[in-house]
Amino acid sequence: MEYSCHRLTALVKFISLIFCVLFSFSAQALFVSPPKDPIPLIQETFPTHSSISEKQGEPPLRIIKKNDEILGYAFETNDIARIPAYSGEPVNMLVIIDPQGDYMASKVLEHHEPIILAGIPETKLWAFSDQYVGLSVKDRIKVGGKPNQDYIPIDGLSGATVTVMVMNVAITKAATKAAESLGIIKPSTNIIQPISTIKTDIFNERTWLDLTGDGSIRKLFLDNKAVQKAFDGTEGENVDTVPDSAKDDMFAEIFYTLADIPTIGKNLFGEAEYDWLMKDLKDGEHLVAIFGNGYSYKGSGYVRGGIFDRIQVQQADNDISFRDLEHTRITDLFAIGHPNFKEMSVFKVQAHHEFDPGASWELELLVRRQTGPIDSVFSSFKATYDVLEQYVDTPDAITPEPELTLAQQVWQEKQLEVIVLLALITVLVLILFFQDILVRHPTFMHQLRHGFLVITVVFIGWVWGGQLSVVNVFTFLQALVKDFSWDLFLLDPVIFILWCAAAVTILLWGRAVYCGWLCPFGALQELINQFARYVKIPQYELPWAVHERLWAIKYLILLGLFGLSLDSLALAEQFAEIEPFKTTFLLKFDREWPFILWAVLLLTVNLFNRKTFCRYLCPLGAALSVSNSIRLFDWLKRRPECGSPCKTCAKECEIQAIQPDGVINMRECHYCLDCQITYSNEEKCPPLKKLAYKKRKASKNDIPVTQL
């Protein structure tokens, strides 16, 4: 007894030393990410700037200039897209874009993410945010995956997947709203109008009068009075004026139409000329015909630079101008009754303009008055064109499905993990329901349990990062007090499902099921200890009196962490590093040496003492066992002889959850079912052996009497 106490004292001192070193590193991590001033970061991005404005406009942006030239725009995600991350608080980032909408910088200003505050070097966070540089606000950006036409993938951050996914949504949403406010991109709409198509199989003979009468051909008419009025109050007011007697005379008369419509084009130009104009027309390209008298719509710009600078076509926010390569001069018209025109042209609208022949568009005529050798002023005149319904097929507008939330996207991407995990939990429930049958086959039961634990460690732990933590408990409690939102907890499907499974099993059987079957670190400890027993490594158990008192440590740790979480969840996360879960599964031992040493120490102890951490130090186990008294079922069977005089199960219980009086302490039990295997084994359970012996003896004494 004295020797065991000396060993215990030495072990406690060593653990205390490691714990102090661990917390000293953890305390330093508290100052990893103090709030940063955005101005130096902006100055670093634009070393030649001359001014940085204060936040202005809606959404609030900073404008960075070099003299009168705008270099870029800077904004903070918390001002535009405040999205809570895993801690319940948003990650505030400085985002800088240039006038074309390209990302120039993305820097974290402030965050409260526990996984990053303690465990992930901030350099990795910087490396993640730097991936946006060079991308555009027009790009759809996604964390993880492979490149495709729908989105551009960027690398995630191991151990903080949920956090960086939230950061990505905040950056892209804020950048989109900023770019929309600046006119860099068009505001999104919930209704999509598919582009109409021209009916090429419909043709009717029409005269010029017919075509102008039904609106197939439209006219823009300007007199001198209207033009003069447009220049009144400008520098061109007294330039090119006309006498009062001529104010009602025509200034310009322009007819315009969509000429690739067969009924219009063939009647205007004749079938042969129409076919010639259409022969090189590609999908998505269209022909606009313009005929004019008076003021020249061509001007002289197309002669000097190949640009028709007096006319353009406008559809929605799309301004379409023409060059000489898109122009065809028309020498004659085929339509009966057409007037004579000084200028006649057909212009090609190229496919990249995404011109919709079924939607309304405008012809704009620019009238210029020269005010000096170089200077001039302009005024524009517009006329609308609406195509007749019989000429086009216009699909019904499409209302797109609403964009998936971040939580929905994550669940969609992790469908396989969700299905496999639910199947695994279903298998566990079946094991519990049929435990009375399974425990009668010890070899199969042990193999089944060990196989299940291997899957728990490899898939739930290392592959999926599905290790619950006491910090999750504190996050949930804080969310209940503040603005509760399921979205925060749905961001990690594996963790969410495990918490649901833990909640259900706690209600039905107590905390033992999660700790004994679904906890990756607990499973890893048990497998290590099982290996140690297989290779005959000596095992050491503490005396019952010492063991029973050490149970209290994990409850004291839980109370301490809970008190810290009331003040600061991030602070509680630092001290929750007593849980080696993050080091082992989330970061896979890729962190500072004290954390690695602590995790390795706890795993090494399992070579000599089964699940030491779970029994004495685990605050999560303590938190789960608090509600143990409300469990509905007690399926672990006991006999009156258990504890007095029989102590077989108590001696075989490798985590010492059976008290000397034979009662199973369900707050400490891990539901390994070893006691139930012994309970059902006539060769191992003394009361059962005694009962079997009595039955055999009774059967021998019960000799039938032969009637003579």
Side-chain angles (χ1 to χ4, degrees), residues 50-70:
S50 61
S51 65
I52 301 174
S53 74
E54 295 295 322
K55 294 179 184 179
Q56 58 188 37
E58 182 56 41
L61 308 172
R62 298 181 190 269
I63 302 174
I64 302 96
K65 291 184 177 181
K66 181 180 181 180
N67 300 324
D68 292 332
E69 178 189 1
I70 295 179

Side-chain angles (χ1 to χ4, degrees), residues 588-704:
K588 300 177 178 65
F589 297 98
D590 181 18
R591 64 187 313 196
E592 294 86 352
W593 68 264
F595 298 101
I596 298 174
L597 180 61
W598 174 244
V600 171
L601 172 65
L602 292 175
L603 293 173
T604 303
V605 169
N606 277 276
L607 293 171
F608 312 100
N609 182 269
R610 195 180 189 103
K611 302 182 85 168
T612 308
F613 173 79
C614 297
R615 289 201 266 178
Y616 306 130
L617 299 176
C618 182
L620 175 63
L624 296 181
S625 66
V626 168
S627 59
N628 197 72
S629 58
I630 67 170
R631 71 184 191 279
L632 300 178
F633 304 128
D634 189 2
W635 290 356
L636 300 182
K637 298 178 180 179
R638 307 301 287 156
R639 290 190 173 89
E641 297 89 345
C642 292
S644 178
C646 181
K647 297 184 183 296
T648 302
C649 290
K651 291 179 181 179
E652 290 187 348
C653 181
E654 293 166 351
I655 62 167
Q656 295 178 277
I658 301 178
Q659 299 175 163
D661 61 0
V663 175
I664 298 175
N665 187 340
M666 291 305 296
R667 294 185 186 276
E668 304 301 324
C669 175
H670 287 187
Y671 223 94
C672 66
L673 297 177
D674 284 352
C675 63
Q676 299 304 290
I677 292 175
T678 300
Y679 179 93
S680 304
N681 192 330
E682 292 183 356
E683 301 299 324
K684 294 183 67 175
C685 178
L688 197 58
K689 288 172 65 176
K690 184 176 181 181
L691 181 62
Y693 174 77
K694 289 182 177 180
K695 286 183 178 180
R696 287 195 301 269
K697 186 175 181 181
S699 64
K700 288 181 181 180
N701 294 332
D702 188 12
I703 301 174

Side-chain angles (χ1 to χ4, degrees), residues 19 38 86 286 294 411 419 431 504 591 610:
F19 208 44
Y86 205 68
H286 298 278
W411 279 74
I419 292 171
I431 291 173
V504 172
R591 64 187 313 196
R610 195 180 189 103

Side-chain angles (χ1 to χ4, degrees), residues 450-469:
H450 294 153
F452 196 101
L453 294 181
V454 169
I455 293 174
T456 297
V457 172
V458 175
F459 288 96
I460 296 181
W462 277 317
V463 178
W464 301 336
Q467 173 69 66
L468 302 187
S469 167

Side-chain angles (χ1 to χ4, degrees), residues 348-461:
K348 181 192 292 185
V349 178
Q350 296 193 18
H352 67 81
H353 292 296
E354 298 182 352
F355 182 83
D356 185 351
S360 179
W361 54 274
E362 293 179 322
L363 177 71
E364 182 178 25
L365 176 68
L366 276 70
V367 178
R368 184 178 68 174
R369 284 187 173 181
Q370 200 76 23
T371 59
I374 300 177
D375 299 329
S376 60
V377 293
F378 291 87
S379 187
S380 67
F381 302 88
K382 298 179 181 180
T384 302
Y385 187 91
D386 293 297
V387 71
L388 301 184
E389 291 182 3
Q390 64 263 31
Y391 292 153
V392 293
D393 278 323
T394 303
D396 294 333
I398 300 174
T399 301
E401 295 181 4
E403 186 177 350
L404 296 177
T405 65
L406 179 58
Q408 290 171 329
Q409 293 176 35
V410 173
W411 279 74
Q412 191 176 73
E413 292 170 3
K414 294 195 174 184
Q415 285 183 359
L416 179 60
E417 290 92 329
V418 169
I419 292 171
V420 174
L421 181 57
L422 290 175
L424 192 64
I425 293 172
T426 302
V427 170
L428 176 58
V429 171
L430 291 175
I431 291 173
L432 298 177
F433 269 86
F434 295 100
Q435 66 183 50
D436 292 344
I437 298 174
L438 293 172
V439 295
R440 296 180 184 275
H441 307 278
T443 302
F444 174 76
M445 184 63 208
H446 283 128
Q447 291 175 346
L448 175 63
R449 175 166 171 78
H450 294 153
F452 196 101
L453 294 181
V454 169
I455 293 174
T456 297
V457 172
V458 175
F459 288 96
I460 296 181

